[in-house]
Amino acid sequence: MTSATGSATSRPHRNTGPSLQHRLAGVFEDVATITWRDMVRTARQPEMLTFATIMGVFFLVLFNYVFGGAIGAGAGIDYIQFVVPGVLVITALQGAQQTGTGLASDLSEGVTDRFRSLPMNQGAVIAGRTVADAARNLLGIILLAGVAMVMGFRFRSFSGAVAAIALTLVVGFGFSWLSAVIAAKVRNPEMVGMLTMFWLFPLMLASSAFAPPDSMPGWLQGFATHQPISVATDAVRSLTSGAGASGDVLYALGWVLGMLIVFVPLSSRLYRKAT
């Protein structure tokens, strides 16, 4: 009896540590904390939201009233119905740009050094920012959609409007992680803005956002049709028009999934190296 008791008490205690459920709960709590921090900062700096919305309205007014007559007549389309989905996508991408500039500001100002000293998951810093930027994008996209409807744009159905806005947010979320990669690598807010414009403007202009790809030179049509901004725009356009959109939406979601697979781990690794 004694030997049995002794062997039982001498058995080493296994310390398994926090369970997976508790670790995941901690990660979600950290993400929520960073999201709240960035949302509060947005509320204190409303120009961040105003700029993205004003730029979207600027593109909408410019292309509809300046170029819309020529493009619409040449392609035989109702241009306001054609251009609004593209402007919604571009507005989301401009909102995603804020992920990079905000993260670069935190890195250059030493804010991330304070985050590193806290008992928190460091990957939550980027994740929380991307979620906050998605929430800010939602407000900007809804405001832009309201302006578009005043100008004559119409969603064919309420469900199509909800699906189109949701897809636009998902696309912006994917591009936020690309912006985070640039910020974690460069760590200079001004340079991040310049590099973002370097890839955004060519993709934006050589896309189906403002003109049908078949109106472009033959050597450009393939690229303009299948690049991510065009794919997302075509999917949103299908949803707003009430057409069958399953193929277009799946193609757009495939692009977003590919971006997340590449840029989420890459941005996290670069951020850890930067801090």
Side-chain angles (χ1 to χ4, degrees), residues 12-24:
H13 175 68
R14 294 181 62 188
N15 184 12
T16 58
S19 66
L20 177 61
Q21 180 180 357
H22 283 85
R23 289 198 298 269
L24 290 176

Side-chain angles (χ1 to χ4, degrees), residues 25-264:
V27 171
F28 284 122
E29 183 179 353
D30 293 340
V31 171
T33 300
I34 297 298
T35 299
W36 178 251
R37 167 192 178 263
D38 290 331
M39 291 296 294
V40 169
R41 185 168 65 174
T42 298
R44 293 174 178 173
Q45 298 175 330
E47 62 273 10
M48 297 172 65
L49 174 62
T50 304
F51 173 77
T53 306
I54 288 177
M55 286 301 296
V57 173
F58 171 78
F59 280 120
L60 182 57
V61 171
L62 175 66
F63 277 88
N64 185 59
Y65 292 124
V66 178
F67 304 114
I71 298 174
I77 55 177
D78 182 354
Y79 193 69
I80 188 67
Q81 292 295 131
F82 179 87
V83 75
V84 167
V87 177
L88 290 174
V89 171
I90 289 169
T91 300
L93 300 187
Q94 290 174 335
Q97 178 188 357
Q98 297 296 327
T99 300
T101 54
L103 181 61
S105 295
D106 286 347
L107 286 167
S108 62
E109 294 171 4
V111 176
T112 52
D113 292 335
R114 282 177 278 173
F115 289 152
R116 185 175 54 180
S117 65
L118 298 175
M120 61 180 294
N121 186 291
Q122 295 303 305
V125 175
I126 303 179
R129 179 173 290 279
T130 57
V131 173
D133 290 337
R136 185 176 63 241
N137 262 343
L138 176 60
L139 295 176
I141 290 168
I142 291 175
L143 290 173
L144 179 62
V147 173
M149 294 181 71
V150 171
M151 294 173 60
F153 175 78
R154 292 294 179 268
F155 291 100
R156 298 306 181 198
S157 67
F158 178 75
S159 60
V162 173
I165 291 174
L167 179 60
T168 304
L169 288 176
V170 170
V171 172
F173 182 75
F175 275 92
S176 285
W177 288 95
L178 168 59
S179 187
V181 168
I182 298 173
K185 183 65 177 178
V186 177
R187 290 180 277 177
N188 182 292
E190 291 78 12
M191 185 61 66
V192 168
M194 292 176 59
L195 291 176
T196 301
M197 290 297 103
F198 183 78
W199 64 260
L200 178 58
F201 268 93
L203 286 180
M204 179 179 69
L205 297 176
S207 73
S208 63
F210 301 117
D214 56 13
S215 66
M216 302 176 186
W219 57 269
L220 185 58
Q221 290 182 13
F223 172 79
T225 300
H226 299 289
Q227 56 113 323
I229 293 181
S230 291
V231 171
T233 298
D234 292 342
V236 173
R237 189 174 288 135
S238 296
L239 292 170
T240 59
S241 67
S246 59
D248 292 330
V249 171
L250 288 177
Y251 194 9
L253 292 177
W255 261 110
V256 174
L257 179 60
M259 294 178 69
L260 293 177
I261 290 173
V262 173
F263 295 129
V264 169

